[in-house]
Amino acid sequence: MRTLTRRLLLPGLTALALAGTGCSAPADPATAAAGPGSAATPSSAPADGEQELEVNAAPQGSTAPTPVARTRGGRGRPEKSSLEIASYDRASGRAVISAAPPSRTAPPSRTAQPSHSPAPGRPADRPVAVGDVIASAPAPGAPDGLLAKVTEVVGRTERGTEVKTASTTLASVLKDDRADGKVPVDPASVSVVPLMKGVTFSWARSQGVRFGPQGAELPLGNLRLDVNAPVTTAKGAPAEAAASVSGFVQLAPQVEFAYDGGKGAGTGPSSAFLGMSGAWSSQWALKGRAAASTGTPRRIPFAKLHSAPVIQVGPVPVVVNLDLTCYLQVEADGHATLDVQQDVKGGFRVGGSYAVGKGWSPVSTSAVHSTPVHASVAAAGNVKGALGAEASVGLYGAVGVTADFAPYLRGEGAARAAASSDGKAAARASWAVYGGFDLSGRLEFHLSLFGTPVIEHRIPLGALHREWALASGRAAV
């Protein structure tokens, strides 16, 4: 099977056009005269130096330089820098850092940011030195971005300054600042790899650009996967009972990010949050007599999706990695023949929330409802089919939260027979179809990248299960 990959780079998984939140304080005299297009700093930062940083999608486009923020010597506030990562080797931790070519300078931003933009000659423009903390968007050798501290300056090369680096945390750059925002993922930034035949991909960007066979029908900012796939049919089933699953999944996910350096919180934040939320809708049908399951239900992945949106937290580019694997799952006893179709709509929110003194705790909520289009079950037996997604979200390539969201259909049929002494016999059959969803997941070790204490073991999100009746019937046979 040929693998098809679609990727367009834009800020952020479904109409992810950003709804960033933040409050700006009055401008710093040191940067007030930077001129039009300069990023503005708060005009009245609190006495303790805390700032409320805006959370926005990072600017994209061929003319924009790779965003880099730098904290000189690991002290003071991070500043936007004219430096860029020319190359990086993950195995050795070595990087080559150079000045961004003037021709790649990004157009002026229209949004004021509570961040520091260096004027020529300011520290952020000076050569990199030991102790500097560098935060970079995806760069050569660092497809998931880079967050590192310079431990040694090796020397000059034709491409720039070669340095050795070590991993560090967001607390080393965000310090005692605060940030809280939601960043929608642009569906055009999502790469899709179909894992079986019969899978198509469509999206509609918030700017009105559309792609794929269903793009013209989609709400702006949504992406959609359509699938039409056969399912293993029960042995001996007639041709008209061939099992199949068809339908679509439509998503509008967004990244949620929060950080509060807090006062007196030590070396890490007083609170933090990382998660994914969004709208989910699907319409799909399960038909035929599926083969009996042996052991665990059979899960069939049909597409993998990946996006690495860059969110701008003040001057700091934070790279978020999102991965989804959409799958079909069928569990059956090989007797019931099902013909059911339903619409599912709703939303979900999963993530990890941190509070100093309490540590990390899971967040897991979902509210969906479904409407049956038609439903019937023939013959006694049971069958259950799900059209779900395994999702993960993390920072700089490290997974922080994983979740499994699986809306499902379940059908059951029963037959009863009775006989009396007068020779009369009667048989009745009943059937019922149910809809529901399962939501589960866990918090991973890498959430400590925020600068919080290391998670010593994975923390389950806790299973969330809901089920409701769709249709039922009785008949004499």
Side-chain angles (χ1 to χ4, degrees):
M1 179 184 67
R2 184 168 20 181
T3 298
L4 172 65
T5 303
R6 306 282 188 191
R7 180 188 294 269
L8 295 177
L9 297 178
L10 282 152
L13 212 271
T14 13
L16 300 165
L18 154 87
T21 63
C23 302
S24 296
D28 183 346
T31 54
S38 300
T41 59
S43 56
S44 63
D48 58 6
E50 294 180 10
Q51 289 188 105
E52 187 80 21
L53 303 179
E54 289 188 1
V55 179
N56 290 300
Q60 299 287 326
S62 58
T63 61
T66 301
V68 169
R70 174 189 187 186
T71 301
R72 188 167 177 81
R75 298 181 299 274
R77 295 200 174 282
E79 295 182 314
K80 291 181 180 179
S81 173
S82 61
L83 302 176
E84 68 174 5
I85 307 298
S87 66
Y88 176 71
D89 180 66
R90 183 180 297 273
S92 65
R94 291 188 176 224
V96 175
I97 300 176
S98 61
S103 60
R104 295 178 57 207
T105 301
S109 171
R110 296 182 180 180
T111 303
Q113 299 273 355
S115 60
H116 294 275
S117 287
R122 291 191 61 180
D125 290 319
R126 297 173 188 166
V128 67
V130 172
D132 287 2
V133 176
I134 302 293
S136 171
D144 299 309
L146 180 64
L147 179 61
K149 183 175 183 178
V150 176
T151 59
E152 179 183 340
V153 176
V154 178
R156 294 284 302 172
T157 70
E158 292 182 356
R159 302 179 62 193
T161 302
E162 183 176 353
V163 299
K164 291 183 180 180
T165 67
S167 59
T168 188
T169 66
L170 278 173
S172 67
V173 284
L174 296 181
K175 306 289 186 180
D176 55 359
D177 291 337
R178 298 181 302 274
D180 189 354
K182 298 179 181 179
V183 181
V185 179
D186 190 327
S189 72
V190 181
S191 66
V192 178
V193 179
L195 303 178
M196 62 168 58
K197 294 180 179 179
V199 176
T200 60
F201 178 52
S202 307
W203 51 256
R205 287 178 51 200
S206 57
Q207 294 89 341
V209 181
R210 299 175 183 271
F211 170 82
Q214 303 298 326
E217 308 298 325
L218 290 177
L220 297 181
N222 279 242
L223 65 83
R224 170 169 159 163
L225 283 168
D226 286 76
V227 61
N228 188 344
V231 175
T232 304
T233 303
K235 186 176 181 180
E240 61 269 20
S244 65
V245 173
S246 61
F248 68 83
V249 174
Q250 188 171 306
L251 298 169
Q254 59 185 2
V255 175
E256 296 191 23
F257 177 92
Y259 175 96
D260 186 350
K263 186 175 181 180
T267 58
S270 61
S271 65
F273 182 86
L274 178 66
M276 178 171 56
S277 61
W280 169 292
S281 63
S282 64
Q283 183 183 94
W284 59 292
L286 177 60
K287 298 181 180 181
R289 188 182 305 174
S293 304
T294 57
T296 58
R298 186 185 180 197
R299 179 168 290 196
I300 310 168
F302 64 85
K304 287 187 176 182
L305 295 80
H306 174 76
S307 181
V310 180
I311 61 177
Q312 200 74 34
V313 181
V316 180
V318 176
V319 184
V320 181
N321 42 285
L322 295 171
D323 290 277
L324 287 93
T325 300
C326 295
Y327 64 85
L328 309 170
Q329 182 169 293
V330 178
E331 183 178 7
D333 60 9
H335 301 296
T337 300
L338 190 69
D339 185 359
V340 61
Q341 181 176 331
Q342 75 164 345
D343 286 329
V344 177
K345 293 183 179 181
F348 65 95
R349 184 175 187 250
V350 295
S353 178
Y354 174 81
V356 67
K358 296 181 180 180
W360 285 96
S361 57
V363 174
S364 175
T365 61
S366 181
V368 300
H369 65 275
S370 68
T371 304
V373 179
H374 64 263
S376 67
V377 180
N382 297 279
V383 62
K384 179 180 178 181
L387 185 62
E390 298 174 352
S392 68
V393 56
L395 299 174
Y396 299 100
V399 174
V401 182
T402 61
D404 193 325
F405 183 61
Y408 68 80
L409 290 167
R410 183 175 68 85
E412 59 184 26
R416 293 184 178 180
S420 62
S421 57
D422 60 5
K424 293 181 179 180
R428 298 188 64 82
S430 63
W431 60 270
V433 176
Y434 303 88
F437 70 86
D438 293 305
L439 176 61
S440 60
R442 62 182 182 267
L443 306 183
E444 303 285 353
F445 305 108
H446 299 296
L447 282 173
S448 57
L449 192 141
F450 272 92
T452 63
V454 175
I455 298 177
E456 297 181 356
H457 56 84
R458 292 182 173 93
I459 303 174
L461 288 179
L464 186 62
H465 172 78
R466 297 287 186 274
E467 185 174 274
W468 49 86
L470 292 174
S472 61
R474 292 178 178 273
V477 296

